[in-house]
């Protein structure tokens, strides 16, 4: 199908099938992604579809695949830089039943849309140890599995026992942790584009006071070191082997460096913050300047940790 009329017709047909797969209220057009990212940056998604159950998720992805329409599954948008031109195709946002959690002894099953930090705190309240590292990570369980989110010497890889995914075969498959190939901020599902439906975590019974103390220590470290009062997407760069990206950036003289309203955080040089009206273009230019400076100063080429998606 070609030309603007053909495109409009294809979009109407796609919208109709998405509505049938969910319900009208949950299919929105042209939604600015700046509303759905912690950076508060990002152009419009052609379609934003909120799905409330595994069945709806399966049907929507099936429609996209069947029509060869690209899709992106959104968690809480806390590790995303969406370019200013927005996202062509469908952004799928799990919610509703997909945020459910169930506790069974030392096992916790959490839907992809469950908030990671809330889940971590609930585990702590129940005397389950293992999730203290996650109390300040603002993402969803789905995003955390994909990114192998971690902090303070722990990470999802240490607690995930198995997870349910929609793979390219359009069915829900349970995959044990041993096959998930977790690495530093990577995973097999990330590489293969699998969609997380839920994850089962295996924790350990622990001492309530000790768990609470570790949670408070981790929260205090974050509050002291991270610019949590300003929009950001967390650490911009991966930690190079044996080094800290923030220290390298500081040593290269980039702390406080600014392009438009995007700034290398004065509090933590590993973060870029949005001072108000930063665009993705500003952030991308700042990222390049920082990379060049660190390369020139320390001979290290920094790799982005945040996911950069969408069109210019
Ligand atoms: C202030 C701040 C502090 C942070 N601190 C940390 C930290 O200490 N450690 C850390 O690791 N991260 C940290 N982050 C980054 C971020 O919170 C994590 O990477 C988190 O796991 C991302 O989850 P999300 O739901 O926001 O994912 P999103 O940002 O929405 O998405 C990230 C990627 O996962 C994919 N995705 C999301 N959900 C699914 C799903 N259900 N199925 C398939 N793919 C999916 C997206 O398509 C995208 O590619 C921080 C971010 C902020 C803003």
């Amino acid at each position: 199908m070609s030309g603007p009329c053909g495109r409009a017709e294809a979009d109407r047909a796609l919208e109709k099938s998405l509505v049938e797969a969910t319900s009208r209220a949950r299919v929105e057009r042209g939604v600015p992604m700046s509303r759905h990212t912690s950076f508060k940056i990002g152009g419009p998604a052609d379609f934003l579809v909120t799905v409330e159950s595994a069945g709806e998720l399966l049907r929507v992805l099936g429609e996209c695949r069947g029509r060869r329409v690209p899709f992106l599954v959104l968690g809480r948008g806390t590790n995303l830089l969406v370019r200013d031109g927005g996202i062509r195709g469908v952004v799928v946002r799990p919610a509703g039943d997909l945020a459910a959690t169930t506790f069974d002894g030392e096992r916790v099953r959490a839907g992809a849309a469950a908030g990671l930090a809330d889940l971590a705190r609930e585990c702590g309240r129940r005397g389950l140890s293992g999730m203290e590292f996650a109390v300040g990570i603002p993402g969803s369980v789905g995003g955390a599995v994909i990114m192998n989110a971690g902090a303070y010497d722990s990470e999802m890889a240490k607690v995930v026992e198995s997870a349910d995914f929609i793979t390219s075969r359009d069915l829900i498959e349970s995959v044990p942790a041993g096959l998930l190939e977790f690495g530093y901020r990577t995973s097999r599902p990330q590489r293969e584009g699998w969609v997380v439906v839920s994850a089962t975590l295996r924790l350990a019974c622990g001492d309530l006071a000790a768990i609470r103390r570790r949670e408070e220590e981790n929260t205090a470290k974050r509050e002291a070191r991270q610019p949590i009062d300003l929009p950001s997407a967390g650490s911009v760069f991966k930690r190079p082997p044996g080094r800290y990206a923030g220290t390298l950036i500081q040593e290269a003289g980039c702390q406080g460096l600014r392009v438009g309203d995007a700034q290398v955080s004065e509090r933590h040089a590993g973060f870029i913050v949005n001072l108000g009206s930063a665009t993705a273009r500003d952030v991308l230019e700042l990222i390049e300047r920082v990379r060049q400076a660190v390369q020139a100063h320390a001979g290290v080429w920094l790799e982005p940790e945040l996911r950069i998606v969408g069109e210019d």
Side-chain angles (χ1 to χ4, degrees):
M1 196 150 328
S2 62
C5 296
R7 167 83 199 275
E9 202 175 300
D11 277 357
R12 273 195 300 276
L14 173 62
E15 185 171 20
K16 185 164 177 283
S17 67
L18 292 172
V19 167
E20 281 163 12
T22 57
S23 79
R24 179 166 288 280
R26 287 176 261 141
V27 179
E28 299 165 85
R29 276 193 183 218
V31 179
M33 290 301 292
S34 52
R35 288 191 204 150
H36 292 278
T37 57
S38 56
F39 235 149
K40 304 206 182 308
I41 292 175
D46 287 347
F47 291 94
L48 176 69
V49 184
T50 304
V51 292
E52 306 225 340
S53 66
E56 283 190 357
L57 181 57
L58 257 177
R59 285 197 293 280
V60 166
L61 298 184
E63 283 300 330
C64 292
R65 287 200 173 109
R67 293 167 183 273
R68 297 185 187 285
V69 171
F71 65 83
L72 171 92
V73 179
L74 179 69
R76 300 213 166 179
T78 63
N79 203 41
L80 277 185
L81 177 62
V82 180
R83 291 192 182 90
D84 302 314
I87 299 181
R88 303 293 71 78
V90 177
V91 173
V92 186
R93 192 167 69 99
D97 293 350
L98 289 164
T101 53
T102 48
F103 289 79
D104 179 10
E106 296 183 337
R107 284 198 173 81
V108 186
R109 189 163 187 271
L116 191 70
D118 290 344
L119 178 67
R121 288 210 179 273
E122 184 56 27
C123 292
R125 273 193 289 273
R126 289 170 182 252
L128 291 171
S129 175
M131 286 294 282
E132 296 90 322
F133 76 92
V135 284
I137 303 182
S140 66
V141 165
V145 170
I146 293 294
M147 299 304 301
N148 186 19
Y152 310 121
D153 296 326
S154 198
E155 55 184 6
M156 291 304 284
K158 292 196 179 167
V159 293
V160 172
E161 184 176 62
S162 67
D164 286 358
F165 296 93
I166 300 173
T167 61
S168 51
R169 293 195 286 164
D170 275 344
L171 44 89
I172 297 177
E173 298 182 58
S174 177
V175 183
L179 297 179
L180 296 179
E181 298 168 15
F182 284 119
Y184 173 56
R185 303 295 172 265
T186 69
S187 62
R188 181 177 178 197
Q190 184 187 114
R191 286 190 295 278
E192 303 212 5
W194 295 351
V195 174
V196 184
V197 178
S198 65
T200 300
L201 314 182
R202 182 71 191 263
L203 304 173
C205 288
D207 174 58
L208 268 179
I211 294 172
R212 175 74 52 84
R213 198 176 53 247
R214 281 193 291 275
E215 288 177 354
E216 282 170 1
E217 280 167 10
N218 291 347
T219 305
K221 278 189 232 164
R222 265 178 207 281
E223 285 173 357
R225 295 183 196 157
Q226 296 185 357
I228 47 181
D229 50 332
L230 287 170
S232 79
S235 297
V236 174
F237 300 104
K238 290 187 179 180
R239 211 173 43 225
R243 315 290 286 271
Y244 286 103
T247 311
L248 289 169
I249 294 166
Q250 248 175 348
E251 288 170 358
C254 293
Q255 189 148 29
L257 190 67
R258 197 170 159 176
V259 175
D261 261 355
Q263 185 183 40
V264 175
S265 165
E266 303 269 18
R267 189 177 292 177
H268 187 316
F271 282 54
I272 289 178
V273 291
N274 177 359
L275 297 177
S277 55
T279 61
R281 183 181 280 258
D282 295 338
V283 175
L284 289 168
E285 191 182 324
L286 189 53
I287 286 175
E288 277 322 299
R289 285 202 202 167
V290 167
R291 292 173 105 185
Q292 301 286 352
V294 170
Q295 170 75 49
H297 186 264
V300 176
W301 187 243
L302 294 174
E303 292 298 334
E305 174 176 322
L306 53 74
R307 314 280 291 164
I308 301 166
V309 299
E311 294 185 352
D312 282 328

